Amino acid sequence: MYVTLEPCCHHGKTPPCTDAIIEHGIERVFVGMRDPNPLVAGKGIALLREAGIEVVCGIEEETIREQNRIFLKYISTHRPWVALKTAMTLDGKIATWSGDSKWITGTEARAYVHELRHRLMAIMVGIGTSMTDDPLLNCRIEGRGVRQPIRVVVDSNARLGLDRQLVKTAEEYRTIVAHTRFAGEDKLEALRQAGVETLLCAEKAGLVDVDNLLDLLGQMGIDSILLEGGG
């Protein structure tokens, strides 16, 4: 058997892989890399060897690390993998002096953005982008099952308008507003009534402390974030 990641030896969403391997009489197992999950971390390999199975570890390890970078980041730090998407002109600008940014990129690049929205668990923007562009921030890939990203708005004072698309579609797409203690409770309650989740974060200079926000999102099980938006 060839596996990318060390077979698990604990009960999670499924029973231990090591049990199935032993029960089915597999004699040799080639493992791409050890699993950094503290629940595994070499224990799976040890169990197989104790059962008399030959285990070879370290096959295409660097390739597998790249392939599993989101999982490896999250399982070892409990914080999400963060990817930044931006479109820039040759002189390093993300919009014209008037704020116009459509379209710096072409159709191929815009299609790739939706592929990223499908792959990564959440998409994050600031309140400025939310109010100015009124984005929907959903994945619009056609012809296959699509995982819609969780939409996260960094909005220190809960200024997101109830008429914005992000709020009007919150019942359809999971939406989180990250705010500080300075946000008004009436506005927060109105957002919650519209289906938006509100997340109280630590503050830094009166604004959401993004370091704390990443910790909180990780605790919520969000393993990856696509950053979109303006400067």
Side-chain angles (χ1 to χ4, degrees):
M1 174 183 282
Y2 286 83
V3 293
T4 55
L5 200 63
E6 176 182 0
C8 67
C9 54
H10 64 288
H11 283 270
K13 294 180 181 178
T14 59
C17 299
T18 48
D19 289 359
I21 293 170
I22 294 168
E23 288 169 9
H24 284 79
I26 294 172
E27 297 179 358
R28 302 175 74 197
V29 177
F30 295 86
V31 177
M33 64 171 290
R34 289 176 182 265
D35 188 342
N37 185 343
L39 294 173
V40 187
K43 300 185 188 76
I45 292 172
L47 280 172
L48 295 180
R49 286 175 173 160
E50 287 171 11
I53 297 171
E54 180 185 352
V55 180
V56 179
C57 187
I59 309 294
E60 295 286 347
E61 185 167 345
E62 289 308 309
T63 302
I64 290 168
R65 282 189 177 278
E66 174 68 16
Q67 175 180 301
N68 291 324
R69 59 193 182 278
I70 291 174
F71 167 77
L72 296 175
K73 163 77 174 182
Y74 183 72
I75 204 67
S76 58
T77 67
H78 304 296
R79 287 164 65 106
W81 173 276
V82 180
L84 168 67
K85 166 261 169 186
T86 188
M88 282 193 311
T89 56
L90 288 174
D91 60 350
K93 308 298 182 183
I94 61 173
T96 64
W97 65 270
S98 64
D100 180 37
S101 63
K102 295 184 178 180
W103 295 101
I104 292 175
T105 56
T107 54
E108 185 177 353
R110 292 198 293 275
Y112 180 59
V113 169
H114 287 278
E115 187 69 34
L116 289 175
R117 290 183 182 183
H118 167 69
R119 286 189 210 165
L120 303 180
M121 188 174 288
I123 181 169
M124 183 187 293
V125 296
I127 183 59
T129 296
S130 306
M131 297 295 282
T132 303
D133 295 346
D134 193 19
L136 190 54
L137 300 180
N138 65 340
C139 178
R140 297 187 285 276
I141 296 176
E142 298 180 357
R144 75 180 196 203
V146 171
R147 182 177 71 175
Q148 292 293 344
I150 300 166
R151 304 175 306 179
V152 181
V153 182
V154 183
D155 184 8
S156 301
N157 299 299
R159 294 191 292 121
L160 185 63
L162 299 179
D163 61 341
R164 300 289 89 180
Q165 288 197 92
L166 290 170
V167 177
K168 291 193 290 186
T169 58
E171 298 282 2
E172 184 179 359
Y173 307 119
R174 186 179 177 189
T175 305
I176 300 170
V177 164
H179 63 91
T180 68
R181 61 186 177 90
F182 300 116
E185 185 54 40
D186 289 347
K187 182 59 181 295
L188 291 173
E189 181 56 29
L191 289 170
R192 288 193 283 263
Q193 288 293 326
V196 175
E197 298 176 37
T198 58
L199 181 63
L200 175 62
C201 302
E203 64 194 71
K204 190 172 185 179
L207 302 174
V208 167
D209 182 346
V210 177
D211 201 47
N212 175 246
L213 173 57
L214 291 177
D215 282 334
L216 294 175
L217 293 175
Q219 291 167 21
M220 295 169 68
I222 295 174
D223 67 4
S224 52
I225 296 171
L226 174 63
L227 291 184
E228 287 201 34

